[in-house]
């Protein structure tokens, strides 16, 4: 049964006196005691292990109402796949939050809005409740909800692991950079809001496909604003291509090395408050701060009016958010390959390739290091934009999912990179 089929609700009496609801012959609630049914489900929730409850509800709302009564301290999202059913049956969705529970109602279900809602809750402690009748009536919607929640939880788990490993570094960087910001040395990303309205922004990362487009970038440089991911800066400058802005994001020392050898005097940096403190110095022409959802960083940002950008686990995702923040009319993605086209890991001349070359020796040649990276235990197989097999890395699955979910308004350049959902692809910047 398709999610778009017409459905006619039928109110059913029950022995308990509380009405039940049937749609196309499928009871959405117990036909004996729907309130007791909801109580039984709520009793299985562990509030200490839950920060957000997501309920798929298309009936009288017994379950979300009982959750709000029992756990008013928890956040809850209620998804109503077909809003016509509650309207016809007299269900009032405003009752879901009348007991003080913070409730967001999605009626009807909208993927982009729901994804943005999940992104505003930096937690993997989610309890998802999709009753069997709702799953049967709306199989496509239920499957999509599960996919989006699972992806968000993977991000939450990744963020938790990152904080566990680098939490002290985050805190140290935020203290240093926050002090410099408060002293007026650096600017707020809000200063760039809508500054690129009606303009095209090209985001350049250091993937292998960047190589073949350097001449095109030079020839068409006057037609767009260039945002370079930190890994691509020195490569572009060696080719006499000067980016308009650099986007960085990682708090670790190793990632700060991407910018160490860059010629900074004419560059504008967009960086999170948690970026490695050596990235922030007075050599940049301008420096703009944004914030991530790391708790201390978000708290500082909220107090000082600094915008928060999504990350998706990669700096390229932050660059996409920055381009939107700047009001770009079109956003092109270049060198964001999320795979190894032609067995190459990065564009020639990028920091990663230079580091591998510098560490090469007679007993450990460059080719051996590259082979080990590509054929590590994390290797996986995906397809390029034309459906041809492409070697990739399981760590890129998370990034691929983010771009698939959140970058639908972008255009990718070069078909050799990994296929990313339904993102449109061009062979060249300006065909």
């Amino acid at each position: 049964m398709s999610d778009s089929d017409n459905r006619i609700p039928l109110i059913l009496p029950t022995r308990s006196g509380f009405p039940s609801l049937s749609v196309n012959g499928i009871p959405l609630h117990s036909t004996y005691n729907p309130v007791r049914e909801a109580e039984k489900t709520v009793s299985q929730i562990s509030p200490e292990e839950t920060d957000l409850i997501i309920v798929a509800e298309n009936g009288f709302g017994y379950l979300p109402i009982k959750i709000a009564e029992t756990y008013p301290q928890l956040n809850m999202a209620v998804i109503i796949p077909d809003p016509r059913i509650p309207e016809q049956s007299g269900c009032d969705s405003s009752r879901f939050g009348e007991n003080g529970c913070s409730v967001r109602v999605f009626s009807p279900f909208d993927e982009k809005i729901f994804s943005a809602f999940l992104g505003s809750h930096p937690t993997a402690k989610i309890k998802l409740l999709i009753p069997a009748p709702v799953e049967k009536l709306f199989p496509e919607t239920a499957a999509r909800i599960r996919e989006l929640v699972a992806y968000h939880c993977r991000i939450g788990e990744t963020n938790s692991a990152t904080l566990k490993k680098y939490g002290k570094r985050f805190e140290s960087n935020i203290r240093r950079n926050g002090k410099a910001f408060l002293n007026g040395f650096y600017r707020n990303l809000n200063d760039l809001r809508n500054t690129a309205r009606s303009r095209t922004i090209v985001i350049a990362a250091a993937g292998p496909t960047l190589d073949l487009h350097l001449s095109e970038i030079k020839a068409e440089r006057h037609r767009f604003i260039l945002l370079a991911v930190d890994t691509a800066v020195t490569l572009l400058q060696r080719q006499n291509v000067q980016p308009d802005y650099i986007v960085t994001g990682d708090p670790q020392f190793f990632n700060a090395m991407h910018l160490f050898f860059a010629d900074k005097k004419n560059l504008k940096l967009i960086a999170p408050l948690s970026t490695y403190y050596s990235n922030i110095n007075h050599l940049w022409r301008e420096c703009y701060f944004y914030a991530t959802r790391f708790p201390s960083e978000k708290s500082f940002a909220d107090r000082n009016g600094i915008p928060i950008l999504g990350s998706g686990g990669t700096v390229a995702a932050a660059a996409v958010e920055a381009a939107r923040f700047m009001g770009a009319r079109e956003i092109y993605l270049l060198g964001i390959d999320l795979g190894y086209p032609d067995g190459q890991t990065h564009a020639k001349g990028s920091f990663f390739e230079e580091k591998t070359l510098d560490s090469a020796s007679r007993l450990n040649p460059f080719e051996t290091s590259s082979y080990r990276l590509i054929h590590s235990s994390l290797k996986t197989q995906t397809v390029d934009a034309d459906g041809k097999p492409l070697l990739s890395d399981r760590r890129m699955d998370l990034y691929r999912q983010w771009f698939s979910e959140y970058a639908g308004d972008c255009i990718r350049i070069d078909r050799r990179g990994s296929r990313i959902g339904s993102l449109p692809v061009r062979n060249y910047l300006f065909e």
Side-chain angles (χ1 to χ4, degrees), residues 113-427:
I113 297 175
F114 181 63
S115 295
F117 168 79
L118 288 176
S120 67
H121 286 76
T123 176
K125 298 168 67 175
I126 295 176
K127 180 69 173 180
L128 176 60
L129 299 172
I130 304 180
V134 175
E135 185 114 38
K136 188 172 183 179
L137 278 169
F138 307 98
E140 296 172 11
T141 300
R144 195 68 187 119
I145 293 170
R146 292 187 188 281
E147 288 175 3
L148 293 173
V149 171
Y151 167 64
H152 179 74
C153 289
R154 287 199 301 274
I155 287 182
E157 292 166 0
T158 300
N159 289 343
S160 297
T162 300
L163 295 183
K164 184 177 181 180
K165 188 172 183 179
Y166 301 111
K168 291 183 179 179
R169 172 51 59 198
F170 267 92
E171 295 288 357
S172 175
N173 292 341
I174 292 168
R175 285 196 300 270
R176 294 188 184 210
N177 298 333
K179 182 178 180 180
F181 174 79
L182 293 175
N183 288 333
F185 291 113
Y186 305 106
R187 301 173 66 175
N188 190 323
L189 185 63
N190 275 321
D191 295 342
L192 294 180
R193 187 186 293 273
N194 293 327
T195 54
R197 186 179 296 169
S198 78
R199 296 289 307 277
T200 294
I201 289 183
V202 174
I203 296 174
T209 60
L210 178 62
D211 288 336
L212 294 182
H213 297 276
L214 291 172
S215 58
E216 186 184 10
I217 290 175
K218 293 179 183 179
E220 306 289 348
R221 185 65 186 85
H222 61 286
R223 299 180 61 179
F224 55 83
I225 295 172
L226 181 60
L227 264 65
V229 171
D230 50 14
T231 53
V233 179
T234 53
L235 161 64
L236 290 170
Q237 287 189 330
R238 288 173 182 172
Q239 296 292 328
N240 296 317
V241 175
Q242 189 72 349
D244 294 290
Y245 297 92
I246 307 302
V247 182
T248 190
D250 204 289
Q252 304 171 63
F253 167 75
F254 177 77
N255 292 74
M257 296 299 292
H258 298 306
L259 302 176
F260 188 79
F261 297 104
D263 181 5
K264 303 178 180 64
K265 62 179 180 297
N266 291 316
L267 290 179
K268 301 176 183 179
L269 179 69
I270 298 174
L273 287 158
S274 55
T275 194
Y276 194 77
Y277 63 87
S278 70
N279 280 338
I280 306 302
N281 54 53
H282 301 292
L283 298 177
W284 300 100
R285 179 180 171 186
E286 294 172 4
C287 180
Y288 299 86
F289 275 131
Y290 67 90
T292 69
R293 293 190 176 90
F294 178 70
S296 298
E297 191 168 4
K298 184 178 184 299
S299 177
F300 184 95
D302 290 341
R303 293 195 306 270
N304 294 281
I306 298 174
I308 297 172
L309 301 185
S311 65
T314 174
V315 182
V320 170
E321 296 287 356
R324 288 181 181 141
F325 192 83
M326 295 167 68
R329 177 175 55 87
E330 294 178 314
I331 303 174
Y332 295 158
L333 308 179
L334 185 57
I336 301 176
D337 300 321
L338 306 184
Y340 305 131
D342 302 321
Q344 190 176 338
T345 60
H346 294 85
K348 294 181 176 65
S350 66
F351 174 76
F352 283 112
E353 187 184 62
E354 293 293 313
K355 182 176 182 296
T356 305
L357 282 169
D358 289 343
S359 61
S361 64
R362 184 173 64 85
L363 298 178
N364 182 37
F366 171 76
E367 291 77 10
T368 300
S369 298
S370 297
Y371 182 89
R372 286 173 179 167
L373 178 61
I374 294 174
H375 296 279
S376 69
S377 60
L378 295 173
K379 71 176 181 179
T380 187
Q381 196 80 18
T382 183
V383 294
D384 64 16
D386 291 322
K388 299 175 183 177
L390 177 68
L391 197 62
S392 185
D393 187 313
R394 284 202 297 271
R395 290 169 293 191
M396 296 182 188
D397 290 344
L398 186 66
Y399 311 153
R400 193 177 295 109
Q401 184 74 20
W402 187 93
F403 279 95
S404 177
E405 302 292 348
Y406 297 101
D409 56 339
C410 301
I411 299 173
R412 295 184 64 218
I413 307 300
D414 203 305
R415 307 187 68 83
R416 295 174 299 154
S418 171
R419 178 184 291 171
I420 303 177
S422 58
L423 260 66
V425 183
R426 292 183 183 176
N427 289 319

